[in-house]
C-alpha cells in the first residue's frame, strides 16, 4: 500500500502518519519527490483497514500496490534510485562502467587493470575473490587474500571495488573489504544470502539467475530491500535458452521492462551474456541504447592467461576501444559517461 501525502505536508505530519502505520506492525518507507512524498507500507495490509487513513492530516490518497514486489516497484518511489559509488553515483543521468577480471589472480594484474580502466573511464573495479565454478576442480578464487588485494588497489587508485559474495558465512568478511557486494546468477534465489546482504550497509549488485524471470529478479531484490537495504542494482547477464551460439541469451528487452517496473538502477553484463570477446562491444552498445544505467565488463591484462572467463575478457586496449565506441550511443540517449559526478576527482 502507498500513502500519497498532500503538497506541503510537514515533517511532523509525516512522522505521525508513519507512527500510526507502524503501530499496526507494518514497516514504512519514505520516498521524497519533487512534488510529493510517498509513504510505502509493507506488511499485513489488511490491518491498515483498522485506521481511517484518509482522515489523518496530510494524507491525500491511499493506493494498493498490485505488483508482488513492493519496495522495488516504481509506485513506491517518486524518483530513480541513485547509489553513491566512489566519486560518482549510479543511476540518474549517469552511465557507470565497472570493469576488471573475472577473478582476482594477484596484485600485479589487478594493479595493471585498474591503472588502465580507471583513466579509460571505468568508475569501479570488479574481480571475484570467491568464484562460483561449475566444476569443483576449477580455480575457485584467492578468498580473503583476493579481498585484500582489491582493498589495496582501491586505496591506491580511488576506484571502488565490487566482488561476489557466495555464502552467508562470508558476507560480513566480504563487506569488510568491498564497496559493493555482487550476488551471482547462481545465487539469485539464495534467500538466506539475500536476507543477509539486506542487513549489511553495502550496495548490492544483483545478477539475474540464468533461468529467472524478470519478476523473479525483482522479487529477489525485494528480499534485500525488505531487510532495509535499498541500494540494489539489477544486472541482466543473459539467460539460458535453446540457443547454443552464445554462452547465454542476452535478454535485451529485460532492460526497458525493468526500467518501467522499478526505480532501481539496471546494469548489463555483456561478457557473461555473449561469452566471447567479439560480442562484448555490440551488446554493450545495445544495452546503452536500451536504457541501461551501466555495464559490468570483464577485462584482463592478458586474457589468454586468465584463470577464468578469458575468452570473454577484453584486453586493456579493447576496453579503451569499448569506452570510445560507447560515446555516441550514450549521447544519443542523453547519458553522461562515467556516472553522475557527486564530487570533484581527488
Ligand atoms: C562473474 O561476474 O564473474 C560471474 C560469475 O557472473 P554470473 O554470476 O553472472 O555468472
Ligand atoms: Mn566471469
Amino acid at each position: 500500500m502507498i500513502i500519497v501525502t498532500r503538497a506541503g505536508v510537514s515533517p511532523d505530519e509525516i512522522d505521525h502518519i508513519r507512527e500510526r502505520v507502524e503501530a499496526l506492525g507494518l514497516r514504512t518507507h519514505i520516498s521524497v519527490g519533487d512534488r510529493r512524498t510517498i509513504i510505502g507500507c509493507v506488511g499485513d495490509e489488511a490491518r491498515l483497514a483498522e485506521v481511517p487513513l484518509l482522515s489523518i492530516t496530510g494524507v491525500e490518497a491511499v493506493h494498493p500496490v498490485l505488483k508482488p514486489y513492493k519496495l522495488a516497484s516504481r509506485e513506491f518511489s517518486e524518483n530513480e534510485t541513485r547509489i553513491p559509488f566512489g566519486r560518482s553515483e549510479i543511476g540518474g543521468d549517469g552511465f557507470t562502467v565497472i570493469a576488471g577480471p573475472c577473478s582476482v589472480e594477484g596484485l600485479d594484474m589487478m594493479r595493471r587493470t585498474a591503472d588502465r580502466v580507471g583513466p579509460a573511464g571505468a568508475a569501479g573495479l570488479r574481480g571475484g575473490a570467491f568464484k562460483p565454478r561449475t566444476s569443483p576442480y576449477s580455480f575457485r578464487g584467492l578468498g580473503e587474500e583476493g579481498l585484500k588485494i582489491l582493498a589495496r588497489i582501491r586505496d591506491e587508485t580511488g576506484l571502488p571495488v565490487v566482488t561476489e559474495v557466495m555464502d552467508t558465512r562470508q558476507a560480513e568478511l566480504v563487506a569488510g573489504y568491498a564497496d559493493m557486494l555482487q550476488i551471482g546468477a547462481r545465487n539469485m534465489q539464495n534467500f538466506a544470502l539475500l536476507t543477509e546482504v539486506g542487513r549489511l550497509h553495502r550496495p548490492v549488485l544483483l545478477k539475474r539467475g540464468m533461468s529467472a524471470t524478470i519478476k523473479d529478479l525483482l522479487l529477489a531484490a525485494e528480499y534485500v530491500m525488505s531487510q532495509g537495504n535499498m541500494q540494489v542494482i539489477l544486472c541482466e547477464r543473459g539467460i539460458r535458452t535453446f540457443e547454443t551460439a552464445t554462452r547465454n541469451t542476452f535478454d535485451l528487452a529485460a532492460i526497458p521492462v525493468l526500467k518501467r517496473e522499478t526505480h532501481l538502477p539496471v546494469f548489463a553484463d555483456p561478457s557473461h551474456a555473449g561469452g566471447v570477446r567479439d560480442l562484448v562491444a555490440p551488446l554493450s552498445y545495445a544495452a546503452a541504447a536500451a536504457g541501461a544505467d551501466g555495464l559490468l565488463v570483464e577485462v584482463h591484462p592478458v586474457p589468454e592467461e586468465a584463470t577464468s572467463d578469458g575468452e570473454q575478457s577484453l584486453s586493456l586496449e579493447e576496453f579503451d576501444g569499448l569506452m570510445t565506441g560507447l560515446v555516441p550511443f550514450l549521447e544519443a540517449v542523453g547519458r553522461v559517461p562515467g556516472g553522475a559526478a557527486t564530487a570533484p576527482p581527488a
Side-chain angles (χ1 to χ4, degrees):
M1 196 77 87
I2 57 168
I3 299 173
V4 182
T5 58
R6 288 208 168 88
V9 67
S10 73
D12 284 349
E13 286 167 345
I14 291 178
D15 285 348
H16 178 66
I17 300 168
R18 290 183 85 170
E19 278 161 22
R20 293 296 306 267
V21 172
E22 287 172 8
L24 298 168
L26 285 87
R27 290 171 52 175
T28 60
H29 172 71
I30 294 281
S31 163
V32 183
D34 297 335
R35 290 172 297 116
R36 54 187 195 164
T37 294
I38 288 175
I39 305 174
C41 312
V42 250
D44 181 2
E45 294 191 355
R47 296 214 57 194
L48 287 175
E50 294 169 27
V51 175
L53 292 170
L54 284 169
S55 65
I56 303 177
T57 312
V59 174
E60 183 169 285
V62 179
H63 300 299
V65 177
L66 300 175
K67 299 283 162 66
Y69 35 91
K70 310 283 175 193
L71 297 165
S73 95
R74 272 231 169 256
E75 294 153 88
F76 249 70
S77 184
E78 274 282 271
N79 302 320
E80 304 269 307
T81 290
R82 299 167 77 117
I83 298 177
F85 186 59
R87 296 183 198 120
S88 60
E89 252 182 8
I90 293 173
D93 291 338
F95 188 84
T96 307
V97 178
I98 300 174
C102 182
S103 304
V104 177
E105 295 162 7
L107 184 63
D108 182 57
M109 58 81 72
M110 289 308 292
R111 192 179 275 137
R112 279 177 68 195
T113 308
D115 284 347
R116 187 71 173 259
V117 298
L125 184 67
R126 63 150 288 152
F130 293 97
K131 293 304 300 178
R133 301 308 299 276
T134 303
S135 162
Y137 306 118
S138 303
F139 174 66
R140 288 159 73 187
L142 292 181
E144 188 169 2
E145 191 196 331
L147 298 176
K148 287 186 176 154
I149 292 172
L150 283 168
R152 180 155 170 197
I153 301 292
R154 186 245 333 276
D155 295 345
E156 286 178 14
T157 61
L159 285 175
V161 296
V162 183
T163 197
E164 179 164 352
V165 50
M166 296 202 323
D167 191 310
T168 51
R169 290 167 296 181
Q170 299 158 348
E172 287 210 21
L173 174 79
V174 178
Y177 292 98
D179 300 284
M180 186 184 289
L181 304 174
Q182 177 173 324
I183 301 284
R186 293 157 191 80
N187 265 318
M188 192 208 79
Q189 284 188 315
N190 179 339
F191 300 119
L193 184 59
L194 296 173
T195 303
E196 193 64 30
V197 298
R199 295 195 188 117
L200 299 171
H201 301 285
R202 281 280 177 280
V204 174
L205 181 73
L206 179 61
K207 297 186 104 184
R208 181 178 180 183
M210 24 194 130
S211 34
T213 63
I214 292 172
K215 181 173 153 191
D216 294 337
L217 174 60
L218 288 162
L219 283 168
E222 191 78 12
Y223 259 91
V224 178
M225 299 171 86
S226 67
Q227 297 304 312
N229 187 351
M230 300 293 153
Q231 301 191 93
V232 181
I233 296 142
L234 305 170
C235 184
E236 162 58 35
R237 48 77 74 206
I239 51 175
R240 280 243 164 115
T241 68
F242 52 82
E243 181 57 73
T244 53
T246 50
R247 180 175 179 185
N248 292 288
T249 297
F250 184 45
D251 184 6
L252 184 60
I255 295 168
V257 171
L258 285 167
K259 293 298 293 179
R260 184 189 70 207
E261 292 296 307
T262 182
H263 51 85
L264 297 173
V266 177
F267 266 43
D269 171 346
S271 311
H272 291 85
V276 284
R277 153 172 339 117
D278 290 354
L279 292 176
V280 171
L283 297 185
S284 299
Y285 303 154
D293 295 289
L295 299 173
L296 183 70
V297 185
E298 287 187 339
V299 178
H300 194 287
V302 191
E304 67 176 59
E305 290 176 9
T307 52
S308 58
D309 287 349
E311 59 294 342
Q312 67 192 31
S313 299
L314 298 184
S315 66
L316 302 174
E317 296 72 30
E318 285 164 338
F319 182 72
D320 288 343
L322 172 71
M323 295 304 280
T324 311
L326 268 170
V327 172
F329 292 92
L330 296 178
E331 279 172 4
V333 291
R335 293 268 182 178
V336 184
T342 50

